[in-house]
Amino acid sequence: MPLDPEFKDQTSKLIKDTLDLYKNAGASPRIGDVWKCENIGDFLCGFFVGEMVGSALSAFQVYHRREPTPDEHMEIVGLVENFTEEIREFFAKFN
């Protein structure tokens, strides 16, 4: 079953708004030391994508009062992937 258009719009807005918050906040200078990662931008990118998918899956459960089907899950992942260029471009600055 395809995602509800209102849910898709709200989720896309969440992703865009959250990415804008990250752009304004920047990154902690301690990330490399705390998490022992060499490519801080790659780490932050993965963290951001995981955060967005996880938030959208939680919102789906609240909105629909059920778990998403595998197809719905992949559609949620696709909503995040719609922002791939913007996400990668921003986090690449930290590598």
Side-chain angles (χ1 to χ4, degrees):
M1 176 171 168
L3 292 177
D4 176 87
E6 182 181 344
F7 178 81
K8 287 171 70 170
D9 290 344
Q10 289 176 355
T11 301
S12 293
K13 182 176 179 352
L14 169 73
I15 296 163
K16 172 133 181 51
D17 290 351
T18 305
L19 185 57
D20 288 344
L21 287 172
Y22 271 72
K23 287 178 178 180
N24 288 329
S28 167
R30 301 180 325 204
I31 288 175
D33 294 332
V34 171
W35 297 105
K36 308 293 184 227
C37 55
E38 292 180 28
N39 297 314
I40 293 169
D42 293 344
F43 174 84
L44 289 172
C45 183
F47 179 86
F48 180 83
V49 169
E51 180 182 19
M52 291 299 93
V53 171
S55 295
L57 289 171
S58 293
F60 181 95
Q61 291 171 328
V62 170
Y63 188 83
H64 292 288
R65 297 177 189 228
R66 65 176 176 81
E67 296 287 324
T69 66
D71 287 342
E72 290 166 332
H73 183 116
M74 290 311 299
E75 196 171 348
I76 288 169
V77 170
L79 292 173
V80 178
E81 289 173 344
N82 288 337
F83 293 87
T84 297
E85 276 304 311
E86 191 175 355
I87 292 168
R88 288 182 68 203
E89 197 172 285
F90 172 65
F91 288 108
K93 295 175 184 178
F94 296 98
N95 281 339

